[in-house]
Amino acid sequence: MEITGHTRLLAILADPIHHVKTPQAINGYLRAHRLDGVLVPIHVAPEALETVVTGLRAMKNLGGFVITVPHKTAIAALCDTVEPHATAIGAVNCVRRNADGTLSGTMLDGLGFVEGMKAHGINPRGLRAYLAGAGGAANAIAFALAEAGVTHLTIANRTREKSDDLAARLAKVHPGLPVSTAPTSVAGYDLIVNATSLGLREGDPLPLDVSALEPSQIVAEIIMSPEMTPLLVAAKSKGCRIHLGRPMLDAQLALMTAYMGLRT
Ligand code: ATR
């Protein structure tokens, strides 16, 4: 599609910027859905973030921008409003410029994960969930699983302080949800999610003990490459239903473009 005077401008802010895949992904999505927008990469050092954001506020044809490393925490203070779950997570990954120039921030990683599962026929509501990891991605997914209605959440992380801290922040927003961070096996859970980085690199150890997996369980990944991580290979061989990493991205492309004001 041609860029014209009507085209809505979107951006991604990052440092470094060369590795980002969001421009290709969002522009592909916009083209496929015939939405009149274009997303460009903007390389912003941390010390220039405030200056750049002040300039972006003044751009009347800007729909919004995606935020990634290292700005996901700092951007929250530069927004006029931030969704409560993003505040609790401590990170914002998508900002909308409203018509009056104010900025609204949200975090769509976790919702993208849940929507990606729903798109493949898995609804977390009523499930007992086991989440491996307590880093950035796991934080977003924990809040989204709680919001989606899991009945129990265990957060298993190598560094216990991080899972305990995540559980404490979750308890403030979802006081009724039983959350555990004690080391345990995956036995008895309906949904098992790997939100650690284990599986990205060849030779990584498995993120959890797969010996207790049973065919009734769903095992989900957020890693997209390789598509079949060693965890998914093991889960499949045990007869579990598996859920790949890619749908999280696909769902998030739709969520991000809609949040920034471009709707199908
Ligand atoms: P992301 O933003 O992708 O979530 P992150 O915030 O660095 O990345 O989180 C990485 C997650 O993978 C963490 O839960 C991390 O565990 P720690 O909190 O103990 O660091 C987990 N992880 C990474 N390498 C690991 C390893 N070798 N063994 C166990 N967990 C690991």
Side-chain angles (χ1 to χ4, degrees):
M1 273 168 69
E2 199 180 13
I3 296 175
T4 70
H6 295 286
T7 305
R8 297 293 288 169
L9 190 56
L10 310 174
I12 176 166
L13 275 48
D15 182 25
I17 194 83
H18 61 88
H19 65 295
V20 296
K21 303 272 194 310
T22 306
Q24 302 91 306
I26 294 253
N27 288 320
Y29 179 89
L30 292 171
R31 270 196 304 277
H33 292 85
R34 303 203 58 73
L35 291 167
D36 191 7
V38 62
L39 186 139
V40 295
I42 302 183
H43 188 179
V44 189
E47 59 274 19
L49 184 66
E50 190 170 352
T51 306
V52 170
V53 168
T54 301
L56 291 171
R57 272 178 190 272
M59 292 169 56
K60 293 176 129 183
N61 64 344
L62 184 86
F65 47 92
V66 175
I67 299 285
T68 188
V69 181
H71 307 307
K72 285 188 185 185
T73 304
I75 193 67
L78 302 174
C79 291
D80 299 284
T81 56
V82 174
E83 296 284 337
H85 75 277
T87 301
I89 292 164
V92 161
N93 79 336
C94 193
V95 175
R96 173 176 61 237
R97 182 194 180 279
N98 302 302
D100 62 358
T102 57
L103 300 177
S104 304
T106 192
M107 163 48 77
L108 297 172
D109 277 343
L111 190 56
F113 175 75
V114 167
E115 291 296 315
M117 285 212 300
K118 286 183 178 171
H120 287 259
I122 303 166
N123 190 337
R125 182 163 296 281
L127 302 185
R128 284 175 54 82
Y130 176 106
L131 177 67
N139 263 263
I141 289 171
F143 277 86
L145 286 175
E147 190 65 39
V150 295
T151 53
H152 175 95
L153 182 63
T154 284
I155 306 165
N157 195 50
R158 172 179 62 179
T159 310
R160 181 79 184 265
E161 295 77 37
K162 283 168 68 180
S163 41
D164 285 345
D165 176 66
L166 168 53
R169 282 178 288 112
L170 256 179
K172 288 194 185 129
V173 182
H174 299 279
L177 175 68
V179 177
S180 156
T181 58
T184 177
S185 98
V186 295
Y189 293 90
D190 307 304
L191 172 66
I192 293 134
V193 182
N194 176 33
T196 75
S197 50
L198 294 174
L200 264 176
R201 277 167 233 75
E202 220 177 297
D204 275 350
L206 286 163
L208 48 91
D209 179 6
V210 295
S211 64
L213 287 175
E214 292 162 15
S216 61
Q217 296 175 313
I218 301 166
V219 177
E221 263 294 1
I222 62 164
I223 291 171
M224 284 191 296
S225 176
E227 184 177 68
M228 284 297 287
T229 58
L231 172 65
L232 291 181
V233 171
K236 198 172 178 189
S237 77
K238 289 260 184 179
C240 303
R241 175 167 184 182
I242 61 165
H243 179 74
L244 304 178
R246 173 80 201 190
M248 176 177 172
L249 174 67
D250 292 337
Q252 216 176 160
L253 296 179
L255 291 169
M256 282 177 162
T257 52
Y259 192 76
M260 296 188 286
L262 285 152
R263 283 165 204 282
T264 48

